[in-house]
Amino acid sequence: MKKIYSIIALSLFLVACGSSENSSVSQTIESGNLEAIRNMKATLTSELNVIESDLAALEAAIASLDRSENLPLVTTFEVQPQVFNHYLDLQGNVKTRENVLLYPEMAGTLLSVKVAKGDRVSKGQLLAVIDNGGMSNQLSQLKTQAALAQTTFERQANLWKQKIGSEIQYLQAKAQAEAQANAVLQLEKVLAKAQITAPFSGVIDQVLKDPGTVVSPGNGSEVFRLINLSNMYIDVDVPEGYLGAVTKGKKAGVYFPVLQDSVHAVVRETGNYINPNNRSFSAEIAINNPNGSIKPNLNARVHINDYTNENALLIPQSVISENAAGEQYAYVAELNGDTAIAKRHIITTGKTQGDYVEIISGINAGDLIIKEGARSVKDAQAVKILN
């Protein structure tokens, strides 16, 4: 820096001296007189020292009078209202109500299995047949007896219309026909239990028993696992404090870490019971599963929109500080000519989302918030705004 000042001073000196002195220097050099050249150099050096001293005095005066040169440098941004959506982060589990184990309703030997693992089946489709122990023959006999009883009743009814025979004979024939018909229906219902059919449309996820196995109703005799992957939902436990915020129809985002995939959904249903163990209520979020990649019991991260402010004032968390009384504050730059004054504003904050905080009070739309340099300024201190 001193070298620069010297060059500037020398330039000013040479300009001040004028062309006549420049000629004098040239003439002295051309004379070849070493003593004269040395004297000329000594004179110019003395005059340069005086100029450097004067320049230093001028710089000190400028620094003392122009305070803006020593002000802290800060950057600011203007607060403007914007839409603010807050999301509640929860852990969920994928479920489906159509995920069942199919059990036999009759004891017996499994005669045949009509489907294989991975087969798509329709509601009511026959999946397996169990040996009915000869009840099919009994049903044939009952149907024959029922047909005879019905014929006898019809003939007796015709006779009764002609006033032939007694009323008691007519009533007995009618009762016999009805009893035989009911017996057929009852046996048909029993025989239906010898067949395992699909209670809904879906995919055979497991075939648990092979033909020839003796099965019976109850645990341990499940034959199939049937799943429908098109009607999936996510079950989450929501803290009771959000009972009024998380309601039916609320938007939600779902992320599956294993699949590295996200979907948009809505809350389909909320529970009416607070679990006393964890003080939470359940919420169901319906999800689409067009390609079947989402499986039951898959873990999911759920983000439920529990709060929205259409005209929120947001500022970064990094510009907020806290005083000894526990009050939060931020600095607002109030313009003062070419500079600004840093004013400490006590603020009330709302919800936080990511790096930004909602301001409830203490800051107004249009305020210039100090961002860079907010940690180093003081209240009522003059600052210089870079931007």
Side-chain angles (χ1 to χ4, degrees), residues 68-103:
S68 64
E69 294 296 326
N70 298 320
L71 296 180
L73 302 179
V74 299
T75 63
T76 61
F77 66 93
E78 184 177 351
V79 179
Q80 291 295 340
Q82 57 185 290
V83 177
F84 173 59
N85 290 310
H86 182 268
Y87 290 89
L88 177 64
D89 294 334
L90 300 169
Q91 190 74 21
N93 191 38
V94 177
K95 293 184 178 181
T96 176
R97 288 190 176 90
E98 296 180 336
N99 175 17
V100 298
L101 290 170
L102 302 182
Y103 293 85

PDB file of all heavy atoms in Angstrom, residues 68-103:
ATOM      1  N   SER A  68     -19.438   5.454   7.379  1.00  0.00           N
ATOM      2  CA  SER A  68     -19.954   4.307   6.629  1.00  0.00           C
ATOM      3  C   SER A  68     -18.862   3.317   6.268  1.00  0.00           C
ATOM      4  O   SER A  68     -19.135   2.154   5.995  1.00  0.00           O
ATOM      5  CB  SER A  68     -20.665   4.791   5.353  1.00  0.00           C
ATOM      6  OG  SER A  68     -19.738   5.443   4.480  1.00  0.00           O
ATOM      7  N   GLU A  69     -17.646   3.752   6.250  1.00  0.00           N
ATOM      8  CA  GLU A  69     -16.553   2.846   5.912  1.00  0.00           C
ATOM      9  C   GLU A  69     -16.317   1.800   6.993  1.00  0.00           C
ATOM     10  O   GLU A  69     -15.760   0.746   6.736  1.00  0.00           O
ATOM     11  CB  GLU A  69     -15.264   3.655   5.671  1.00  0.00           C
ATOM     12  CG  GLU A  69     -15.315   4.569   4.464  1.00  0.00           C
ATOM     13  CD  GLU A  69     -15.471   3.799   3.168  1.00  0.00           C
ATOM     14  OE1 GLU A  69     -14.937   2.672   3.066  1.00  0.00           O
ATOM     15  OE2 GLU A  69     -16.149   4.308   2.260  1.00  0.00           O
ATOM     16  N   ASN A  70     -16.747   2.084   8.237  1.00  0.00           N
ATOM     17  CA  ASN A  70     -16.493   1.173   9.349  1.00  0.00           C
ATOM     18  C   ASN A  70     -17.745   0.426   9.816  1.00  0.00           C
ATOM     19  O   ASN A  70     -17.709  -0.264  10.830  1.00  0.00           O
ATOM     20  CB  ASN A  70     -15.914   1.952  10.538  1.00  0.00           C
ATOM     21  CG  ASN A  70     -14.583   2.599  10.188  1.00  0.00           C
ATOM     22  OD1 ASN A  70     -13.772   1.994   9.504  1.00  0.00           O
ATOM     23  ND2 ASN A  70     -14.379   3.820  10.663  1.00  0.00           N
ATOM     24  N   LEU A  71     -18.865   0.585   9.104  1.00  0.00           N
ATOM     25  CA  LEU A  71     -20.106  -0.048   9.536  1.00  0.00           C
ATOM     26  C   LEU A  71     -20.098  -1.542   9.233  1.00  0.00           C
ATOM     27  O   LEU A  71     -19.524  -1.984   8.239  1.00  0.00           O
ATOM     28  CB  LEU A  71     -21.303   0.600   8.819  1.00  0.00           C
ATOM     29  CG  LEU A  71     -21.552   2.073   9.121  1.00  0.00           C
ATOM     30  CD1 LEU A  71     -22.770   2.559   8.340  1.00  0.00           C
ATOM     31  CD2 LEU A  71     -21.757   2.303  10.612  1.00  0.00           C
ATOM     32  N   PRO A  72     -20.797  -2.361  10.076  1.00  0.00           N
ATOM     33  CA  PRO A  72     -20.913  -3.795   9.793  1.00  0.00           C
ATOM     34  C   PRO A  72     -21.676  -4.009   8.476  1.00  0.00           C
ATOM     35  O   PRO A  72     -22.643  -3.309   8.184  1.00  0.00           O
ATOM     36  CB  PRO A  72     -21.721  -4.330  10.985  1.00  0.00           C
ATOM     37  CG  PRO A  72     -21.571  -3.302  12.053  1.00  0.00           C
ATOM     38  CD  PRO A  72     -21.412  -1.998  11.366  1.00  0.00           C
ATOM     39  N   LEU A  73     -21.233  -4.970   7.720  1.00  0.00           N
ATOM     40  CA  LEU A  73     -21.862  -5.281   6.442  1.00  0.00           C
ATOM     41  C   LEU A  73     -22.895  -6.393   6.642  1.00  0.00           C
ATOM     42  O   LEU A  73     -22.596  -7.424   7.240  1.00  0.00           O
ATOM     43  CB  LEU A  73     -20.810  -5.711   5.422  1.00  0.00           C
ATOM     44  CG  LEU A  73     -19.689  -4.701   5.138  1.00  0.00           C
ATOM     45  CD1 LEU A  73     -18.710  -5.270   4.134  1.00  0.00           C
ATOM     46  CD2 LEU A  73     -20.261  -3.379   4.649  1.00  0.00           C
ATOM     47  N   VAL A  74     -24.115  -6.175   6.138  1.00  0.00           N
ATOM     48  CA  VAL A  74     -25.187  -7.155   6.287  1.00  0.00           C
ATOM     49  C   VAL A  74     -25.916  -7.320   4.954  1.00  0.00           C
ATOM     50  O   VAL A  74     -25.806  -6.478   4.068  1.00  0.00           O
ATOM     51  CB  VAL A  74     -26.209  -6.743   7.373  1.00  0.00           C
ATOM     52  CG1 VAL A  74     -25.536  -6.621   8.730  1.00  0.00           C
ATOM     53  CG2 VAL A  74     -26.910  -5.447   6.995  1.00  0.00           C
ATOM     54  N   THR A  75     -26.655  -8.422   4.858  1.00  0.00           N
ATOM     55  CA  THR A  75     -27.583  -8.608   3.737  1.00  0.00           C
ATOM     56  C   THR A  75     -28.993  -8.723   4.300  1.00  0.00           C
ATOM     57  O   THR A  75     -29.175  -9.127   5.457  1.00  0.00           O
ATOM     58  CB  THR A  75     -27.253  -9.870   2.920  1.00  0.00           C
ATOM     59  OG1 THR A  75     -27.403 -11.024   3.764  1.00  0.00           O
ATOM     60  CG2 THR A  75     -25.833  -9.823   2.386  1.00  0.00           C
ATOM     61  N   THR A  76     -29.980  -8.369   3.499  1.00  0.00           N
ATOM     62  CA  THR A  76     -31.363  -8.390   3.960  1.00  0.00           C
ATOM     63  C   THR A  76     -32.261  -9.054   2.916  1.00  0.00           C
ATOM     64  O   THR A  76     -31.870  -9.239   1.761  1.00  0.00           O
ATOM     65  CB  THR A  76     -31.878  -6.963   4.218  1.00  0.00           C
ATOM     66  OG1 THR A  76     -31.834  -6.221   2.993  1.00  0.00           O
ATOM     67  CG2 THR A  76     -31.043  -6.261   5.272  1.00  0.00           C
ATOM     68  N   PHE A  77     -33.460  -9.408   3.350  1.00  0.00           N
ATOM     69  CA  PHE A  77     -34.499  -9.861   2.429  1.00  0.00           C
ATOM     70  C   PHE A  77     -35.836  -9.322   2.925  1.00  0.00           C
ATOM     71  O   PHE A  77     -36.033  -9.111   4.118  1.00  0.00           O
ATOM     72  CB  PHE A  77     -34.541 -11.386   2.346  1.00  0.00           C
ATOM     73  CG  PHE A  77     -34.962 -12.077   3.600  1.00  0.00           C
ATOM     74  CD1 PHE A  77     -36.297 -12.410   3.828  1.00  0.00           C
ATOM     75  CD2 PHE A  77     -34.028 -12.387   4.581  1.00  0.00           C
ATOM     76  CE1 PHE A  77     -36.676 -13.042   4.995  1.00  0.00           C
ATOM     77  CE2 PHE A  77     -34.411 -13.014   5.752  1.00  0.00           C
ATOM     78  CZ  PHE A  77     -35.738 -13.345   5.961  1.00  0.00           C
ATOM     79  N   GLU A  78     -36.731  -9.087   1.994  1.00  0.00           N
ATOM     80  CA  GLU A  78     -38.025  -8.507   2.326  1.00  0.00           C
ATOM     81  C   GLU A  78     -39.040  -9.619   2.597  1.00  0.00           C
ATOM     82  O   GLU A  78     -39.178 -10.559   1.820  1.00  0.00           O
ATOM     83  CB  GLU A  78     -38.522  -7.623   1.186  1.00  0.00           C
ATOM     84  CG  GLU A  78     -39.821  -6.902   1.492  1.00  0.00           C
ATOM     85  CD  GLU A  78     -40.234  -5.972   0.369  1.00  0.00           C
ATOM     86  OE1 GLU A  78     -39.430  -5.758  -0.558  1.00  0.00           O
ATOM     87  OE2 GLU A  78     -41.380  -5.473   0.413  1.00  0.00           O
ATOM     88  N   VAL A  79     -39.750  -9.499   3.710  1.00  0.00           N
ATOM     89  CA  VAL A  79     -40.758 -10.495   4.083  1.00  0.00           C
ATOM     90  C   VAL A  79     -42.044 -10.229   3.308  1.00  0.00           C
ATOM     91  O   VAL A  79     -42.554  -9.104   3.318  1.00  0.00           O
ATOM     92  CB  VAL A  79     -41.044 -10.458   5.597  1.00  0.00           C
ATOM     93  CG1 VAL A  79     -42.114 -11.476   5.964  1.00  0.00           C
ATOM     94  CG2 VAL A  79     -39.780 -10.718   6.374  1.00  0.00           C
ATOM     95  N   GLN A  80     -42.552 -11.269   2.635  1.00  0.00           N
ATOM     96  CA  GLN A  80     -43.790 -11.161   1.883  1.00  0.00           C
ATOM     97  C   GLN A  80     -44.712 -12.321   2.248  1.00  0.00           C
ATOM     98  O   GLN A  80     -44.257 -13.443   2.475  1.00  0.00           O
ATOM     99  CB  GLN A  80     -43.508 -11.182   0.381  1.00  0.00           C
ATOM    100  CG  GLN A  80     -42.786  -9.949  -0.150  1.00  0.00           C
ATOM    101  CD  GLN A  80     -43.622  -8.677  -0.016  1.00  0.00           C
ATOM    102  OE1 GLN A  80     -44.833  -8.738   0.127  1.00  0.00           O
ATOM    103  NE2 GLN A  80     -42.951  -7.527  -0.047  1.00  0.00           N
ATOM    104  N   PRO A  81     -46.024 -12.087   2.298  1.00  0.00           N
ATOM    105  CA  PRO A  81     -46.965 -13.180   2.606  1.00  0.00           C
ATOM    106  C   PRO A  81     -46.910 -14.272   1.548  1.00  0.00           C
ATOM    107  O   PRO A  81     -46.748 -13.988   0.357  1.00  0.00           O
ATOM    108  CB  PRO A  81     -48.337 -12.473   2.601  1.00  0.00           C
ATOM    109  CG  PRO A  81     -48.034 -11.035   2.779  1.00  0.00           C
ATOM    110  CD  PRO A  81     -46.703 -10.794   2.143  1.00  0.00           C
ATOM    111  N   GLN A  82     -47.038 -15.514   1.967  1.00  0.00           N
ATOM    112  CA  GLN A  82     -47.027 -16.646   1.052  1.00  0.00           C
ATOM    113  C   GLN A  82     -47.792 -17.811   1.667  1.00  0.00           C
ATOM    114  O   GLN A  82     -48.080 -17.827   2.861  1.00  0.00           O
ATOM    115  CB  GLN A  82     -45.593 -17.067   0.725  1.00  0.00           C
ATOM    116  CG  GLN A  82     -44.762 -17.419   1.942  1.00  0.00           C
ATOM    117  CD  GLN A  82     -43.319 -17.710   1.586  1.00  0.00           C
ATOM    118  OE1 GLN A  82     -43.018 -18.723   0.973  1.00  0.00           O
ATOM    119  NE2 GLN A  82     -42.424 -16.808   1.965  1.00  0.00           N
ATOM    120  N   VAL A  83     -48.128 -18.768   0.814  1.00  0.00           N
ATOM    121  CA  VAL A  83     -48.853 -19.948   1.280  1.00  0.00           C
ATOM    122  C   VAL A  83     -47.896 -20.847   2.068  1.00  0.00           C
ATOM    123  O   VAL A  83     -46.787 -21.149   1.606  1.00  0.00           O
ATOM    124  CB  VAL A  83     -49.458 -20.728   0.104  1.00  0.00           C
ATOM    125  CG1 VAL A  83     -50.161 -21.993   0.595  1.00  0.00           C
ATOM    126  CG2 VAL A  83     -50.433 -19.853  -0.670  1.00  0.00           C
ATOM    127  N   PHE A  84     -48.337 -21.260   3.246  1.00  0.00           N
ATOM    128  CA  PHE A  84     -47.509 -22.105   4.104  1.00  0.00           C
ATOM    129  C   PHE A  84     -48.293 -23.369   4.461  1.00  0.00           C
ATOM    130  O   PHE A  84     -49.371 -23.299   5.055  1.00  0.00           O
ATOM    131  CB  PHE A  84     -47.124 -21.352   5.377  1.00  0.00           C
ATOM    132  CG  PHE A  84     -46.403 -22.189   6.403  1.00  0.00           C
ATOM    133  CD1 PHE A  84     -45.204 -22.803   6.087  1.00  0.00           C
ATOM    134  CD2 PHE A  84     -46.920 -22.367   7.676  1.00  0.00           C
ATOM    135  CE1 PHE A  84     -44.536 -23.579   7.034  1.00  0.00           C
ATOM    136  CE2 PHE A  84     -46.262 -23.127   8.625  1.00  0.00           C
ATOM    137  CZ  PHE A  84     -45.060 -23.736   8.289  1.00  0.00           C
ATOM    138  N   ASN A  85     -47.770 -24.512   4.075  1.00  0.00           N
ATOM    139  CA  ASN A  85     -48.359 -25.807   4.413  1.00  0.00           C
ATOM    140  C   ASN A  85     -47.451 -26.532   5.388  1.00  0.00           C
ATOM    141  O   ASN A  85     -46.271 -26.719   5.106  1.00  0.00           O
ATOM    142  CB  ASN A  85     -48.541 -26.666   3.153  1.00  0.00           C
ATOM    143  CG  ASN A  85     -49.616 -26.129   2.239  1.00  0.00           C
ATOM    144  OD1 ASN A  85     -50.724 -25.845   2.669  1.00  0.00           O
ATOM    145  ND2 ASN A  85     -49.299 -25.973   0.966  1.00  0.00           N
ATOM    146  N   HIS A  86     -48.030 -26.908   6.515  1.00  0.00           N
ATOM    147  CA  HIS A  86     -47.270 -27.665   7.509  1.00  0.00           C
ATOM    148  C   HIS A  86     -47.688 -29.124   7.442  1.00  0.00           C
ATOM    149  O   HIS A  86     -48.872 -29.437   7.287  1.00  0.00           O
ATOM    150  CB  HIS A  86     -47.518 -27.129   8.919  1.00  0.00           C
ATOM    151  CG  HIS A  86     -46.729 -27.830   9.974  1.00  0.00           C
ATOM    152  ND1 HIS A  86     -47.207 -28.923  10.675  1.00  0.00           N
ATOM    153  CD2 HIS A  86     -45.468 -27.628  10.433  1.00  0.00           C
ATOM    154  CE1 HIS A  86     -46.287 -29.338  11.523  1.00  0.00           C
ATOM    155  NE2 HIS A  86     -45.226 -28.583  11.406  1.00  0.00           N
ATOM    156  N   TYR A  87     -46.707 -30.018   7.537  1.00  0.00           N
ATOM    157  CA  TYR A  87     -46.991 -31.452   7.430  1.00  0.00           C
ATOM    158  C   TYR A  87     -46.519 -32.177   8.686  1.00  0.00           C
ATOM    159  O   TYR A  87     -45.436 -31.900   9.210  1.00  0.00           O
ATOM    160  CB  TYR A  87     -46.283 -32.043   6.202  1.00  0.00           C
ATOM    161  CG  TYR A  87     -46.879 -31.570   4.898  1.00  0.00           C
ATOM    162  CD1 TYR A  87     -46.413 -30.415   4.285  1.00  0.00           C
ATOM    163  CD2 TYR A  87     -47.912 -32.272   4.283  1.00  0.00           C
ATOM    164  CE1 TYR A  87     -46.963 -29.970   3.094  1.00  0.00           C
ATOM    165  CE2 TYR A  87     -48.461 -31.843   3.087  1.00  0.00           C
ATOM    166  CZ  TYR A  87     -47.979 -30.690   2.494  1.00  0.00           C
ATOM    167  OH  TYR A  87     -48.531 -30.258   1.332  1.00  0.00           O
ATOM    168  N   LEU A  88     -47.359 -33.086   9.130  1.00  0.00           N
ATOM    169  CA  LEU A  88     -47.054 -33.935  10.276  1.00  0.00           C
ATOM    170  C   LEU A  88     -46.399 -35.216   9.774  1.00  0.00           C
ATOM    171  O   LEU A  88     -46.950 -35.906   8.915  1.00  0.00           O
ATOM    172  CB  LEU A  88     -48.339 -34.261  11.033  1.00  0.00           C
ATOM    173  CG  LEU A  88     -48.247 -35.205  12.223  1.00  0.00           C
ATOM    174  CD1 LEU A  88     -47.397 -34.569  13.320  1.00  0.00           C
ATOM    175  CD2 LEU A  88     -49.644 -35.510  12.746  1.00  0.00           C
ATOM    176  N   ASP A  89     -45.198 -35.520  10.264  1.00  0.00           N
ATOM    177  CA  ASP A  89     -44.455 -36.701   9.826  1.00  0.00           C
ATOM    178  C   ASP A  89     -44.763 -37.885  10.744  1.00  0.00           C
ATOM    179  O   ASP A  89     -44.589 -37.794  11.962  1.00  0.00           O
ATOM    180  CB  ASP A  89     -42.942 -36.431   9.836  1.00  0.00           C
ATOM    181  CG  ASP A  89     -42.544 -35.393   8.796  1.00  0.00           C
ATOM    182  OD1 ASP A  89     -43.271 -35.261   7.803  1.00  0.00           O
ATOM    183  OD2 ASP A  89     -41.523 -34.716   8.991  1.00  0.00           O
ATOM    184  N   LEU A  90     -45.194 -38.987  10.134  1.00  0.00           N
ATOM    185  CA  LEU A  90     -45.568 -40.177  10.899  1.00  0.00           C
ATOM    186  C   LEU A  90     -45.039 -41.428  10.219  1.00  0.00           C
ATOM    187  O   LEU A  90     -44.677 -41.400   9.039  1.00  0.00           O
ATOM    188  CB  LEU A  90     -47.100 -40.272  11.015  1.00  0.00           C
ATOM    189  CG  LEU A  90     -47.808 -39.117  11.709  1.00  0.00           C
ATOM    190  CD1 LEU A  90     -49.307 -39.217  11.507  1.00  0.00           C
ATOM    191  CD2 LEU A  90     -47.479 -39.091  13.194  1.00  0.00           C
ATOM    192  N   GLN A  91     -45.008 -42.500  10.971  1.00  0.00           N
ATOM    193  CA  GLN A  91     -44.619 -43.810  10.450  1.00  0.00           C
ATOM    194  C   GLN A  91     -45.882 -44.642  10.277  1.00  0.00           C
ATOM    195  O   GLN A  91     -46.701 -44.737  11.189  1.00  0.00           O
ATOM    196  CB  GLN A  91     -43.649 -44.508  11.408  1.00  0.00           C
ATOM    197  CG  GLN A  91     -43.013 -45.766  10.857  1.00  0.00           C
ATOM    198  CD  GLN A  91     -41.947 -45.477   9.821  1.00  0.00           C
ATOM    199  OE1 GLN A  91     -41.410 -44.378   9.769  1.00  0.00           O
ATOM    200  NE2 GLN A  91     -41.638 -46.442   8.986  1.00  0.00           N
ATOM    201  N   GLY A  92     -46.039 -45.249   9.093  1.00  0.00           N
ATOM    202  CA  GLY A  92     -47.237 -46.024   8.822  1.00  0.00           C
ATOM    203  C   GLY A  92     -46.928 -47.429   8.355  1.00  0.00           C
ATOM    204  O   GLY A  92     -45.775 -47.795   8.113  1.00  0.00           O
ATOM    205  N   ASN A  93     -47.986 -48.209   8.239  1.00  0.00           N
ATOM    206  CA  ASN A  93     -47.869 -49.606   7.836  1.00  0.00           C
ATOM    207  C   ASN A  93     -48.949 -49.911   6.801  1.00  0.00           C
ATOM    208  O   ASN A  93     -50.118 -49.607   7.011  1.00  0.00           O
ATOM    209  CB  ASN A  93     -48.029 -50.515   9.060  1.00  0.00           C
ATOM    210  CG  ASN A  93     -47.669 -51.943   8.762  1.00  0.00           C
ATOM    211  OD1 ASN A  93     -46.733 -52.204   8.017  1.00  0.00           O
ATOM    212  ND2 ASN A  93     -48.398 -52.874   9.329  1.00  0.00           N
ATOM    213  N   VAL A  94     -48.544 -50.520   5.683  1.00  0.00           N
ATOM    214  CA  VAL A  94     -49.492 -50.825   4.618  1.00  0.00           C
ATOM    215  C   VAL A  94     -50.352 -52.024   5.010  1.00  0.00           C
ATOM    216  O   VAL A  94     -49.836 -53.042   5.492  1.00  0.00           O
ATOM    217  CB  VAL A  94     -48.748 -51.120   3.294  1.00  0.00           C
ATOM    218  CG1 VAL A  94     -49.736 -51.509   2.205  1.00  0.00           C
ATOM    219  CG2 VAL A  94     -47.940 -49.903   2.861  1.00  0.00           C
ATOM    220  N   LYS A  95     -51.645 -51.882   4.789  1.00  0.00           N
ATOM    221  CA  LYS A  95     -52.574 -52.965   5.105  1.00  0.00           C
ATOM    222  C   LYS A  95     -53.618 -53.090   4.003  1.00  0.00           C
ATOM    223  O   LYS A  95     -53.764 -52.222   3.146  1.00  0.00           O
ATOM    224  CB  LYS A  95     -53.274 -52.705   6.446  1.00  0.00           C
ATOM    225  CG  LYS A  95     -52.354 -52.758   7.657  1.00  0.00           C
ATOM    226  CD  LYS A  95     -53.147 -52.591   8.943  1.00  0.00           C
ATOM    227  CE  LYS A  95     -52.243 -52.697  10.159  1.00  0.00           C
ATOM    228  NZ  LYS A  95     -53.009 -52.550  11.428  1.00  0.00           N
ATOM    229  N   THR A  96     -54.339 -54.194   4.038  1.00  0.00           N
ATOM    230  CA  THR A  96     -55.499 -54.403   3.194  1.00  0.00           C
ATOM    231  C   THR A  96     -56.498 -55.246   3.951  1.00  0.00           C
ATOM    232  O   THR A  96     -56.113 -56.172   4.671  1.00  0.00           O
ATOM    233  CB  THR A  96     -55.130 -55.091   1.857  1.00  0.00           C
ATOM    234  OG1 THR A  96     -56.331 -55.354   1.131  1.00  0.00           O
ATOM    235  CG2 THR A  96     -54.375 -56.386   2.084  1.00  0.00           C
ATOM    236  N   ARG A  97     -57.765 -54.909   3.810  1.00  0.00           N
ATOM    237  CA  ARG A  97     -58.792 -55.714   4.478  1.00  0.00           C
ATOM    238  C   ARG A  97     -59.032 -57.017   3.732  1.00  0.00           C
ATOM    239  O   ARG A  97     -59.662 -57.927   4.252  1.00  0.00           O
ATOM    240  CB  ARG A  97     -60.081 -54.905   4.579  1.00  0.00           C
ATOM    241  CG  ARG A  97     -60.002 -53.773   5.588  1.00  0.00           C
ATOM    242  CD  ARG A  97     -61.372 -53.162   5.834  1.00  0.00           C
ATOM    243  NE  ARG A  97     -61.290 -52.147   6.880  1.00  0.00           N
ATOM    244  CZ  ARG A  97     -61.043 -50.868   6.656  1.00  0.00           C
ATOM    245  NH1 ARG A  97     -60.843 -50.456   5.417  1.00  0.00           N
ATOM    246  NH2 ARG A  97     -60.989 -49.996   7.644  1.00  0.00           N
ATOM    247  N   GLU A  98     -58.589 -57.101   2.515  1.00  0.00           N
ATOM    248  CA  GLU A  98     -58.776 -58.302   1.702  1.00  0.00           C
ATOM    249  C   GLU A  98     -57.468 -59.090   1.658  1.00  0.00           C
ATOM    250  O   GLU A  98     -56.828 -59.250   0.622  1.00  0.00           O
ATOM    251  CB  GLU A  98     -59.267 -57.922   0.310  1.00  0.00           C
ATOM    252  CG  GLU A  98     -60.643 -57.253   0.355  1.00  0.00           C
ATOM    253  CD  GLU A  98     -61.165 -56.871  -1.010  1.00  0.00           C
ATOM    254  OE1 GLU A  98     -60.335 -56.692  -1.933  1.00  0.00           O
ATOM    255  OE2 GLU A  98     -62.385 -56.740  -1.160  1.00  0.00           O
ATOM    256  N   ASN A  99     -57.053 -59.546   2.810  1.00  0.00           N
ATOM    257  CA  ASN A  99     -55.874 -60.391   2.971  1.00  0.00           C
ATOM    258  C   ASN A  99     -56.246 -61.455   4.006  1.00  0.00           C
ATOM    259  O   ASN A  99     -56.151 -61.225   5.213  1.00  0.00           O
ATOM    260  CB  ASN A  99     -54.677 -59.561   3.431  1.00  0.00           C
ATOM    261  CG  ASN A  99     -53.460 -60.414   3.740  1.00  0.00           C
ATOM    262  OD1 ASN A  99     -53.385 -61.574   3.331  1.00  0.00           O
ATOM    263  ND2 ASN A  99     -52.512 -59.855   4.473  1.00  0.00           N
ATOM    264  N   VAL A 100     -56.717 -62.599   3.528  1.00  0.00           N
ATOM    265  CA  VAL A 100     -57.292 -63.574   4.444  1.00  0.00           C
ATOM    266  C   VAL A 100     -56.720 -64.973   4.198  1.00  0.00           C
ATOM    267  O   VAL A 100     -56.264 -65.294   3.094  1.00  0.00           O
ATOM    268  CB  VAL A 100     -58.828 -63.634   4.296  1.00  0.00           C
ATOM    269  CG1 VAL A 100     -59.459 -62.316   4.645  1.00  0.00           C
ATOM    270  CG2 VAL A 100     -59.221 -64.061   2.892  1.00  0.00           C
ATOM    271  N   LEU A 101     -56.773 -65.763   5.259  1.00  0.00           N
ATOM    272  CA  LEU A 101     -56.494 -67.196   5.167  1.00  0.00           C
ATOM    273  C   LEU A 101     -57.835 -67.918   5.022  1.00  0.00           C
ATOM    274  O   LEU A 101     -58.774 -67.652   5.780  1.00  0.00           O
ATOM    275  CB  LEU A 101     -55.763 -67.680   6.418  1.00  0.00           C
ATOM    276  CG  LEU A 101     -54.319 -67.211   6.580  1.00  0.00           C
ATOM    277  CD1 LEU A 101     -53.800 -67.560   7.968  1.00  0.00           C
ATOM    278  CD2 LEU A 101     -53.420 -67.822   5.516  1.00  0.00           C
ATOM    279  N   LEU A 102     -57.925 -68.833   4.069  1.00  0.00           N
ATOM    280  CA  LEU A 102     -59.157 -69.564   3.829  1.00  0.00           C
ATOM    281  C   LEU A 102     -59.088 -70.928   4.501  1.00  0.00           C
ATOM    282  O   LEU A 102     -58.160 -71.712   4.230  1.00  0.00           O
ATOM    283  CB  LEU A 102     -59.388 -69.724   2.323  1.00  0.00           C
ATOM    284  CG  LEU A 102     -59.474 -68.419   1.521  1.00  0.00           C
ATOM    285  CD1 LEU A 102     -59.751 -68.721   0.057  1.00  0.00           C
ATOM    286  CD2 LEU A 102     -60.542 -67.504   2.096  1.00  0.00           C
ATOM    287  N   TYR A 103     -60.067 -71.208   5.363  1.00  0.00           N
ATOM    288  CA  TYR A 103     -60.133 -72.454   6.114  1.00  0.00           C
ATOM    289  C   TYR A 103     -61.275 -73.324   5.570  1.00  0.00           C
ATOM    290  O   TYR A 103     -62.269 -72.799   5.058  1.00  0.00           O
ATOM    291  CB  TYR A 103     -60.385 -72.179   7.591  1.00  0.00           C
ATOM    292  CG  TYR A 103     -59.253 -71.476   8.296  1.00  0.00           C
ATOM    293  CD1 TYR A 103     -59.140 -70.089   8.255  1.00  0.00           C
ATOM    294  CD2 TYR A 103     -58.304 -72.196   9.010  1.00  0.00           C
ATOM    295  CE1 TYR A 103     -58.108 -69.442   8.907  1.00  0.00           C
ATOM    296  CE2 TYR A 103     -57.275 -71.556   9.677  1.00  0.00           C
ATOM    297  CZ  TYR A 103     -57.177 -70.180   9.617  1.00  0.00           C
ATOM    298  OH  TYR A 103     -56.149 -69.537  10.265  1.00  0.00           O
TER     299      TYR A 103
END
